[in-house]
Amino acid sequence: MGNGADTETLGRLALFADLSRPQVEAIAHTFEEEMFPEGQRVLRQGFSGSNLYVILDGEAAVVIDGKERTRLGRGEFFGEASTLLGTAPTADVVATTALRCLVVPASELEGFLMAYPAVAIRMLKEAVRRLATTLQWL
Amino acid sequence: MALTHPSGEYPVVVVGSGPGGLQVSYCLSRLGIEHAVLSADDAPGGMFRSLPIFGRLLSWSKPDAPFERGAREYEWFDHNSLLADDPELRGLVPAEMNRDFAVPSRPEMERGLAAFAERADVHVRYGCRWETTRRDEDGSLVLGTSEGEYRCRAAVFALGVTDPWKSDIPGVEDVPHYVETLEPRAYEGRRVLVIGKRNSGFEIADGLLPWARQVVLVSPRPVQTSVIALSSVRVRYMQPLEDAGLGGGTLALDAAIERVERTADGFRIHAHGTTRPGEVELEADAALAATGFATPIRDLGNLGVQTVAQGRIPALTPFWEAVGAPGVYFAGNATQGAPGLRRHGVGASSPAVHGFRYNARVLAEAIAERHFGVVPERATFAPGEVARFLAHELAHGPELWAQKAYLARVVALEEGGAGRDAGVQPLSHFVDAAGPDAVAATIEMNAAGSIYPVVYARRGGAVTEHVLEPEPQHAYHGPGYLAELEGLLRS
Ligand SMILES: Cc1cc2nc3c(=O)[nH]c(=O)nc-3n(C[C@H](O)[C@H](O)[C@H](O)COP(=O)(O)OP(=O)(O)OC[C@H]3O[C@@H](n4cnc5c(N)ncnc54)[C@H](O)[C@@H]3O)c2cc1C
């Protein structure tokens, strides 16, 4: 099986900013990279068994019941809620350009976050920020 | 004798004579699609003519199994033979095996593939190297080869993922690659450093255990024993890992290598620990780079072909068409460029023969339909027969068992509970493409290794998933499952 993305690309992402170069290299060797053509669904609303995706390049739309809610770009991630909770995603995520992602399988996410607490903190902050934005909408 | 596939114009051109190229050629022929097959080699078998380096495959072929050798259901028990409609052409690899092991040796595999090419009449123009590619104004593809130009509407590249690849560690260019590993006795009494802790790294470690003074494996990523336990590669890891675990001499270190230095009588490696921080310096008498392989896509990037994994694997659609280059398809090991839905993190089994042989059949059907309007004839079912058919496929359909969560058996639903077989399709295509009412049945596996059926139903354009319970004997054609399927079809 192929190794993931190259270390340079990963090292530039905010999510991994607190890690040492050898740690980033270990991540690059652990997780695979996947590329989606424009228009391809990556996360599927209501389907179990999904994974966490970190965007390396390109853009994606978050779509709930057919309505676009927001866009995500390089360095952002999606699928964290369903992977951590073991539930089906409540939104589709669709590539709006050619989209390159790092894939973290659900079964490996907890171990990954425990091995790199700095990544867990960054992810938590982002999740809280998203929650705050959502609450503003309500 | 007339020349096999002289240069010129063909509906389809296939490049490669490994198991991927042979399988796709056979399947195209069965559909009546004329094509040329080109190969740089001078005999069939591809990678298996020289690798794996220690001469034994990972993938099983059980000469005796719950089904007879000529039966379709037997395919799941024989991961290495190519597929054929004629029972006489099935199971050709186990026919070559001496039965000391449940996995074939490299020569047994090579002979099995050669027997298939000969008996199934797969004609290849050997000694023909594809060198350049361009697209003409009328959209056709032109392949420049050592033996002239080939023009076609669709091209299938079955190039393997077998080109030695090294990461960009300074000094690694002096380290021989896995494919250059010498006879084991050449390492007698030497301390051998292996860069890489995947499949090929552990194959070397396993092969050198009886010879080397010590084997040291180094790479940034820790070995994930829980993942390996469920995969066929575990046979390679078991002995070296046990040796490492018990302190028997073998070392498996987690470190990112900064540079490799040549010394008077060997190599010195400078690295940084990953799971355990700190400087690591290692000396060895010999070193080998088990750093992986790449697909030799040559100039296909100019046509728009995109790649993942640092240029090593083409990025593919669910039907194995290159993302960004219509009409350019891949077969064989390179079909891992389409991992599918990765449900529960599990990707397609496309990097091995048992997975990609089915991709080849689905691909041949897709090419026949899209480019030539040829659709194979398929069964229709009276009301009440649909559930029975799906139940049989869930229990014994080799496509579903080999390509878990990647390939699905699809049945189109018609008035009054009747149905029409829509063949085997990539599951991600079924769940994402619009279409008439239909059901797709697959076998899936979760991260804990549990195996169970999942049925996807498309009604009025919306797809829902139905996960069925696992059953210890995998008897998914039993009455309970049948009743559940009938219920699903009614709702
Ligand atoms: C070390 C190793 C061990 C493996 N062990 C197993 C195993 O035990 N079981 C298993 O199922 N899989 C195994 N695999 C995966 C294996 O690569 C595939 O199963 C199989 O060989 C792939 O078949 P293929 O047809 O895709 O490619 P290959 O067998 O690699 O064949 C590629 C073909 O393309 C041709 N070609 C390439 N470039 C050109 C060109 N420019 N012009 C013309 N022809 C060209 C080559 O000459 C060759 O005929 C292993 C892989 C490796 C690297």
Side-chain angles (χ1 to χ4, degrees), chain A residues 1-7 22-23 25-26 29-30 32-37 40-41 44 46-51 53 100 103 105-108, chain B residues 198 220-221 224 256-257 272-274 306-310 312 315 323 336 339-345 348 351 428 431-432 447 456 463 465 467:
Chain A
M1 251 323 166
N3 286 351
D6 75 323
T7 312
Q23 287 177 320
E25 218 164 297
H29 279 253
T30 304
E32 283 180 29
E33 181 195 4
E34 185 166 350
M35 188 166 171
F36 303 92
Q40 170 79 48
R41 272 206 292 179
R44 295 166 180 83
F47 284 71
S48 62
S50 59
N51 307 294
Y53 294 85
R100 203 175 273 280
V103 190
S107 57
E108 288 171 52
Chain B
R198 288 172 189 270
R221 183 185 82 134
Q224 292 164 301
I257 298 171
H272 298 278
T274 53
Q306 310 268 330
T307 57
V308 291
Q310 300 178 62
R312 288 189 285 158
V323 168
Q336 66 179 280
L341 298 177
R342 293 187 195 262
R343 284 174 55 84
H344 302 282
S428 56
V431 301
D432 287 338
Y456 298 80
V463 181
E465 76 176 20
V467 180

Side-chain angles (χ1 to χ4, degrees), chain B residues 15-21 38-41 45-48 51-52 57-59 80 128-130 158-162 178 200 203 236 293 296 298 331-334 351-354 356:
Chain B
V15 184
S17 57
L38 319 175
S39 173
D41 298 341
M47 184 205 89
F48 291 113
L51 301 178
L57 272 64
L58 294 166
S59 36
N80 301 298
C128 177
R129 177 169 290 278
W130 153 65
L159 308 170
V161 185
T162 315
Y178 162 90
S200 58
E203 186 195 346
R236 300 264 199 259
F293 302 87
R298 302 184 75 93
N333 194 350
V353 175
H354 78 274
F356 70 63

Side-chain angles (χ1 to χ4, degrees), chain B residues 62-100:
Chain B
K62 295 174 192 156
D64 212 336
F67 291 91
E68 290 303 314
R69 229 181 254 179
R72 171 179 165 247
E73 290 83 352
Y74 171 73
E75 288 165 12
W76 168 244
F77 302 90
D78 170 17
H79 280 194
N80 301 298
S81 300
L82 296 182
L83 308 174
D85 299 334
D86 177 357
E88 295 286 306
L89 298 175
R90 291 175 173 161
L92 295 186
V93 172
E96 300 288 339
M97 289 168 64
N98 75 357
R99 299 178 80 153
D100 280 349

Side-chain angles (χ1 to χ4, degrees), chain B residues 233-472:
Chain B
V233 303
R234 101 193 139 268
V235 295
R236 300 264 199 259
Y237 286 72
M238 222 136 57
Q239 276 231 302
L241 267 186
E242 180 190 311
D243 196 54
L246 298 176
T250 302
L251 297 176
L253 304 177
D254 304 332
I257 298 171
E258 191 187 299
R259 68 198 155 87
V260 179
E261 203 183 305
R262 277 226 81 133
T263 60
D265 33 34
F267 292 88
R268 183 178 300 121
I269 279 193
H270 303 269
H272 298 278
T274 53
T275 49
R276 198 164 169 278
E279 302 283 309
V280 181
E281 210 178 279
L282 296 164
E283 305 239 3
D285 309 309
L288 290 163
T291 42
F293 302 87
T295 304
I297 62 166
R298 302 184 75 93
D299 67 352
L300 285 177
N302 297 343
L303 289 187
V305 172
Q306 310 268 330
T307 57
V308 291
Q310 300 178 62
R312 288 189 285 158
I313 312 283
L316 305 178
T317 70
F319 280 101
W320 311 286
E321 190 169 24
V323 168
V328 174
Y329 297 89
F330 283 83
N333 194 350
T335 56
Q336 66 179 280
L341 298 177
R342 293 187 195 262
R343 284 174 55 84
H344 302 282
V346 183
S349 300
S350 300
V353 175
H354 78 274
F356 70 63
R357 59 187 180 179
Y358 297 106
N359 298 353
R361 188 147 66 195
V362 175
L363 172 62
E365 288 172 2
I367 289 176
E369 182 168 352
R370 290 175 181 190
H371 295 273
F372 308 100
V374 174
V375 183
E377 217 161 283
R378 295 207 179 90
T380 53
F381 305 107
E385 283 181 2
V386 176
R388 200 165 295 280
F389 173 67
L390 290 176
H392 178 266
E393 292 304 298
L394 285 171
H396 300 303
E399 302 89 347
L400 310 190
W401 279 82
Q403 280 289 32
K404 295 187 183 68
Y406 193 88
L407 293 180
R409 172 63 66 166
V410 180
V411 173
L413 300 176
E414 294 172 345
E415 287 294 300
R420 193 170 35 77
D421 183 13
V424 173
Q425 299 180 14
L427 179 61
S428 56
H429 170 74
F430 181 84
V431 301
D432 287 338
D437 289 2
V439 289
T442 66
I443 292 293
E444 299 193 3
M445 185 166 100
N446 63 21
S450 182
I451 297 174
Y452 46 87
V454 184
V455 177
Y456 298 80
R458 183 168 60 212
R459 284 208 167 76
V463 181
T464 51
E465 76 176 20
H466 306 271
V467 180
L468 309 190
E469 284 297 310
E471 200 275 316

